[in-house]
Amino acid sequence: MRKVFYSKKSFMLAGLCMLLLASCGGKQETGGEQGSISPEPKTEVSDGEQDTQEGDGFFVKGKAFGELPVVGKEDDIYCNLPENVLGWENEVLFCPDPLYGILYYVDHGGDNMIHAVYNGQSQVVVELPGKRLFCRGGKLYFLIETFYGFKLEGALNGNIVEYDPVAGDVTILAKEQFNSMVVYQDLIYCRQDMQSHQGEEGMYGYSPEWFYFFDTGSLKELEKSQLDYILEPQRYGKYFMAKTLKKQDDDSNVRSVVGRELRTWDGERGTVWEGLNIGSSFYIKEDSLCWLDGCDLHVYNLVSGQDQVNTLGSDDTGNFIVFDGQYYDSNFWIAGLEDGKIRECGSKDTGMKFIKEFYTDGKDIYVLIGRSNADQKAVVRRLEVGRLFEEVNPLGGSEMKTELLFYPLGE
């Protein structure tokens, strides 16, 4: 069973609200109220599997939309667009739900809560901070992320949360703490913080990885006994992409990556691509594996083995997204994939100078953007490409650039 939790109503007397908040609730540093959060769910563990049982107390209740019309169809495997999820590290603060036509995002740099755009209107739907957003079966899944001093009681940073927009129910799927996850239609692949482990060949560090199965509601830890491959979060059909490892001749304790292969969560091996080495940031869309290598964008066909290389004309690359035949780079430039022509870009808004992540709903591009890579007030915005403008250099001189415009979601 899973634990469902409910919030205090906004119309309660102020004195009662203060008592409840003091006794069982959290509060954000900015002063926004946070619903009370129940004790951790009770669990039973057997043979490496864990079932989450219902706990006591209450939790916040999300926005209840009531019955929602189905306007689209979900992918058979993915629960967010592949280009939104390049690996374990990015925040993934945006997710479109194709079933109900809802755009979910985290109001990062604002109240840091879960928001949704529905029928052109943006509103808070879950009063919890989060990251790693995914949609499945019309429900939203995310990790609790206690941004910058947000305080919780009874729930933990890294708990997996499920939100049902129809009923407004908000559910903790497991009490374990994870630093990242990827949700698919059949399971959730989760990762925890790095730990030290004593193995047969000495001490090594690894991040424990788990699978949550929707059909049983159970968690199972990935065994670390295998030493010939490393599973990755990206998926192709029923298989995950994996790094193929090989022992070095001069040191049996050291293994190097010699290619890529496909593996199911429990180790069944699929296709092997010897010599295929790519970076840690990539995605698989349909039959194509996409990654960036210097100034070259690779689109590798996993069926035919054909590698289409697009030379972008600049090695000043960062985070990226490919959209409508254009390559967008976080270092503020755009390149056409056919002609390789580069457009240097800029923004007149001094707070919109560093793109941390790109997202898309298939129709538009969205960004997590701020003043710098360390900007705690970076925000999620919709991107539009504007006209040429003259950007003045504070040290002298100026140059013509393509203006990038950034709009709040729902506008």
Side-chain angles (χ1 to χ4, degrees):
M1 294 178 65
R2 295 174 290 181
K3 182 173 65 177
V4 181
F5 42 90
Y6 307 91
S7 69
K8 299 177 288 298
K9 302 295 184 181
S10 59
F11 54 77
M12 295 179 70
L13 296 176
L16 179 57
C17 285
M18 292 177 66
L19 279 173
L20 289 174
L21 283 169
S23 62
C24 60
K27 192 170 185 180
Q28 192 183 9
E29 281 190 337
T30 58
E33 289 185 2
Q34 163 64 23
S36 60
I37 298 180
S38 68
E40 298 173 7
K42 301 172 183 178
T43 59
E44 295 180 0
V45 180
S46 176
D47 298 329
E49 295 193 9
Q50 173 178 289
D51 295 316
T52 302
Q53 304 297 326
E54 186 174 3
D56 301 323
F58 296 110
F59 223 8
V60 270
K61 187 174 178 68
K63 165 75 175 180
F65 286 89
E67 291 301 320
L68 290 164
V70 174
V71 298
K73 182 181 179 182
E74 294 185 309
D75 188 87
D76 293 336
I77 301 294
Y78 302 117
C79 296
N80 199 335
L81 294 178
E83 52 265 57
N84 293 341
V85 188
L86 295 178
W88 287 119
E89 304 301 331
N90 52 335
E91 299 286 344
V92 193
L93 303 182
F94 176 94
C95 184
D97 174 23
L99 199 66
Y100 294 140
I102 301 175
L103 293 180
Y104 292 102
Y105 69 100
V106 177
D107 184 28
H108 193 280
D111 61 19
N112 292 319
M113 304 299 177
I114 306 297
H115 287 232
V117 179
Y118 184 63
N119 289 335
Q121 180 183 0
S122 178
Q123 57 190 302
V124 179
V125 291
V126 183
E127 291 186 351
L128 284 173
K131 67 175 183 178
R132 304 292 293 192
L133 275 56
F134 296 87
C135 292
R136 172 187 178 273
K139 298 178 181 180
L140 174 72
Y141 296 85
F142 63 92
L143 290 177
I144 292 177
E145 173 60 63
T146 51
F147 292 106
Y148 319 124
F150 189 94
K151 298 178 181 178
L152 300 175
E153 289 186 15
L156 300 172
N157 187 54
N159 286 161
I160 303 173
V161 177
E162 173 192 270
Y163 161 62
D164 179 358
V166 174
D169 292 339
V170 183
T171 307
I172 287 185
L173 297 188
K175 75 168 187 177
E176 266 65 25
Q177 294 175 271
F178 301 102
N179 63 27
S180 189
M181 71 173 184
V182 179
V183 179
Y184 293 103
Q185 293 291 349
D186 53 346
L187 55 79
I188 304 176
Y189 185 15
C190 324
R191 190 182 72 168
Q192 294 178 316
D193 289 331
M194 180 81 67
Q195 297 181 8
S196 297
H197 181 75
Q198 180 64 50
E200 294 181 359
E201 299 179 354
M203 184 72 70
Y204 65 93
Y206 79 100
S207 297
E209 296 168 359
W210 296 72
F211 293 96
Y212 175 91
F213 299 95
F214 284 106
D215 58 351
T216 62
S218 61
L219 271 170
K220 183 177 180 64
E221 186 173 7
L222 176 65
E223 294 183 3
K224 287 295 180 182
S225 58
Q226 88 285 346
L227 295 173
D228 55 346
Y229 70 94
I230 297 176
L231 213 60
E232 296 182 292
Q234 293 86 347
R235 189 159 161 179
Y236 182 52
K238 74 173 185 178
Y239 295 98
F240 288 91
M241 186 65 75
K243 298 176 182 178
T244 305
L245 304 180
K246 183 179 180 180
K247 290 183 179 181
Q248 292 188 4
D249 295 336
D250 57 345
D251 190 344
S252 62
N253 293 325
V254 177
R255 289 168 171 78
S256 57
V257 178
V258 295
R260 286 298 196 279
E261 61 185 70
L262 297 177
R263 295 272 184 168
T264 59
W265 71 269
D266 56 354
E268 176 188 329
R269 196 179 198 187
T271 306
V272 178
W273 295 278
E274 294 183 2
L276 179 60
N277 290 313
I278 59 180
S280 58
S281 294
F282 67 90
Y283 64 91
I284 300 171
K285 193 174 183 67
E286 297 176 346
D287 292 327
S288 295
L289 170 64
C290 303
W291 79 93
L292 191 65
D293 180 17
C295 61
D296 292 332
L297 176 69
H298 293 257
V299 182
Y300 182 87
N301 189 291
L302 295 170
V303 177
S304 68
Q306 181 179 0
D307 186 12
Q308 177 184 335
V309 181
N310 299 278
T311 299
L312 302 172
S314 173
D315 58 3
D316 181 25
T317 56
N319 295 321
F320 73 94
I321 194 168
V322 177
F323 182 82
D324 196 23
Q326 301 282 318
Y327 169 92
Y328 293 77
D329 195 274
S330 60
N331 289 325
F332 275 75
W333 56 275
I334 302 172
L337 294 186
E338 290 189 2
D339 57 15
K341 184 178 179 180
I342 290 178
R343 283 184 284 171
E344 295 290 342
C345 302
S347 172
K348 296 178 183 178
D349 189 333
T350 58
M352 305 289 180
K353 294 297 186 181
F354 191 93
I355 298 174
K356 303 178 76 170
E357 295 182 11
F358 284 102
Y359 312 117
T360 184
D361 59 1
K363 300 177 181 179
D364 292 294
I365 298 177
Y366 302 80
V367 293
L368 175 63
I369 187 168
R371 296 176 182 272
S372 67
N373 186 40
D375 188 358
Q376 297 182 355
K377 294 295 183 179
V379 293
V380 178
R381 292 290 186 265
R382 178 172 58 87
L383 181 151
E384 284 191 7
V385 178
R387 300 178 179 181
L388 288 173
F389 76 106
E390 185 177 10
E391 184 175 77
V392 178
N393 189 325
L395 300 179
S398 65
E399 60 180 315
M400 299 301 296
K401 290 187 175 182
T402 298
E403 184 179 9
L404 298 185
L405 306 169
F406 305 98
Y407 297 99
L409 276 67
E411 294 185 8

